């Protein structure tokens, strides 16, 4: 695997720089709204869970997502913006993602939390490679899903082992999720210059060039494939 | 108001006494499941909230309910039971309460959290008068809803002031809630001897006699009336 070296942010990438600051606010805001709406989606999954212990595990996950939201919102307030305002430009794309991917049942809900949300968080982690260490560490904590993934994989693996039809259905659902996620991500990137400016090299030597952007999309796709394969499914 | 004096628990009302211990486990379990299902109901309200700031306020409430659940569950584990098992006898009545009182909209959801849940928590507070100080303080923290009530009253008062039809509808809804709450409470009390034993004097001199039980139901009813009047509504 060709893990890229994380570059040091250039001198212009400090929070005092207006353009950079606007980009960081965009990044934290889109992640904050993603965590918030993810918390709601996870509670909806919990409500569908047939077993009380699964319900509780998901409620704890939702609380974790909400705590991440609160941390990001706190940082946004430190940066002088109201999170409710700064998230506003991103609500339509994220709400639309949830509207277009309604889980038909509890397994599809879990798969969406596992494979769907991960595409978004991988994308934010890619952008976070180019930001200051404080912002990066906040983003990395917010998008960390190891514990959640272990729980979901164990529930889904059991379900797939018990009934192979669940596996074929979830494989199809996974392809639908990746398609919708990429189309919403493109929408977000195309309409929010601040985010794009963080990711793309503007001549300062920090940020990705076209070759690196191509490799980034390859990484997003191969991470998705790896996640599906971990469940014995074809991406 | 004739606020009753809280009696000191009798020597038999210590956690080492098997009958008493079973009663406390019942009490903490029914409250725990109530908080857990209340958290889910509050998130469903949050999802219906038209304003993002209201959504966030409700999500924070739900997190508070869930934290109460976790505290109660922790105490149940200390007492040697698994909360998922000890809550089981109470899930049917509480689930049935939620099935029978589906809010038609966001205001009805708030009213249910404000006036409906309060009847249950008032009832548990009445029982908690007869238990050991540690259990009592845990129950009182779990059922405390002052902050939540202030928020809900402010949203509902605004809505009622803006459109009197909302007020008439919520007054009707409040009567429906109190009827359903009392019928579920009777069901819980009738089928769970442990809880009843905590509340009713078994000859030990601790617990309520028939006259006190009558006064207790008067208090539950007059608290409900007071809550409705605080919104300018007739109970």
């Amino acid at each position: 695997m060709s893990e890229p070296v994380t570059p040091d942010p250039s001198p212009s990438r400090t929070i005092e720089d207006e353009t950079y600051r606007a980009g960081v606010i965009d990044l934290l805001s889109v992640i904050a709204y993603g965590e918030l709406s993810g918390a709601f989606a996870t509670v909806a999954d919990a409500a569908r869970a047939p077993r009380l212990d699964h319900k509780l595990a998901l409620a704890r996950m939702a609380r974790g997502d909400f705590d991440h939201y609160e941390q990001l919102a706190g940082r946004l307030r430190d940066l002088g913006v109201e999170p409710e305002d700064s998230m506003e430009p991103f609500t339509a794309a994220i709400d639309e993602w949830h509207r277009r991917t309604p889980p038909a049942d509890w397994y599809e809900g879990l798969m969406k939390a596992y494979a769907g949300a991960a595409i978004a968080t991988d994308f934010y982690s890619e952008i976070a490679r180019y930001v200051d260490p404080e912002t990066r560490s906040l983003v990395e904590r917010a998008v960390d899903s190891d514990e959640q993934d272990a729980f979901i994989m164990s529930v889904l693996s059991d379900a797939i082992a018990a009934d192979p039809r669940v596996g074929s259905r979830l494989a199809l659902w996974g392809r639908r999720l990746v398609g919708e996620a990429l189309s919403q991500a493109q929408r977000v990137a195309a309409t929010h210059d601040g985010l794009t400016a963080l990711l793309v090299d503007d001549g300062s030597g920090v940020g990705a060039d076209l070759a690196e952007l191509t490799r980034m999309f390859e990484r997003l796709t191969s991470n998705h494939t790896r996640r599906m394969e971990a469940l014995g499914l074809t991406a």
Side-chain angles (χ1 to χ4, degrees), chain A:
Chain A
M1 233 168 120
S2 63
E3 194 58 48
V5 179
T6 298
D8 283 330
S10 81
S12 75
R13 297 219 158 183
T14 64
I15 214 71
E16 284 72 37
D17 179 83
E18 274 307 312
T19 310
Y20 174 68
R21 186 188 183 87
V24 166
I25 287 172
D26 273 0
L27 178 64
L28 299 180
S29 298
V30 69
I31 301 177
Y33 193 72
E35 292 291 314
L36 185 62
S37 65
F40 281 110
T42 302
V43 175
D45 287 342
R48 272 190 291 263
R51 280 171 46 176
L52 188 54
D53 57 340
H54 289 167
K55 223 181 256 298
L56 286 166
L58 284 170
R60 282 188 198 107
M61 263 186 222
R63 185 182 49 186
D65 290 343
F66 190 66
D67 288 344
H68 293 150
Y69 164 77
E70 296 273 43
Q71 286 156 16
L72 294 159
R75 178 65 182 150
L76 285 164
R77 277 186 213 101
D78 290 346
L79 292 173
V81 293
E82 267 309 310
E84 289 156 34
D85 300 328
S86 68
M87 292 189 303
E88 212 285 321
F90 302 102
T91 58
I94 292 176
D95 289 349
E96 180 69 9
W97 148 255
H98 286 292
R99 252 194 307 276
R100 294 183 66 91
T101 55
D105 64 11
W106 139 255
Y107 295 124
E108 289 193 3
L110 286 182
M111 189 59 145
K112 184 173 161 180
Y114 168 73
I119 299 164
T121 56
D122 276 359
F123 179 59
Y124 304 138
S125 302
E126 291 281 349
I127 300 182
R129 291 170 48 215
Y130 303 106
V131 298
D132 61 284
E134 187 183 350
T135 305
R136 193 187 309 151
S137 126
L138 185 60
V139 170
E140 279 168 2
R141 262 179 293 141
V143 303
D144 174 43
S145 63
D146 288 352
E147 207 179 319
Q148 177 164 336
D149 288 352
F151 168 78
I152 294 180
M153 283 182 64
S154 119
V155 175
L156 290 184
S157 300
D158 287 353
I160 293 167
D163 181 355
R165 282 170 306 178
V166 172
S168 350
R169 188 156 62 80
L170 289 178
L172 268 176
W173 175 241
R175 287 192 275 277
R176 166 107 177 270
L177 289 172
V178 75
E180 294 289 349
L182 291 178
S183 95
Q184 292 308 318
Q186 278 166 0
R187 184 171 158 191
V188 167
T191 52
H192 297 89
D193 292 345
L195 271 186
T196 319
L198 285 186
L199 180 62
V200 179
D201 186 354
D202 56 358
S204 68
V206 183
D209 58 18
L210 194 61
E212 177 52 27
L213 282 178
T214 309
R215 285 193 295 273
M216 183 192 85
F217 276 103
E218 283 169 7
R219 282 195 296 274
L220 293 180
T221 314
S222 71
N223 284 346
H224 177 70
T225 305
R226 195 175 37 72
R227 273 186 218 103
M228 298 297 280
E229 284 175 353
L231 291 170
L233 304 177
T234 312

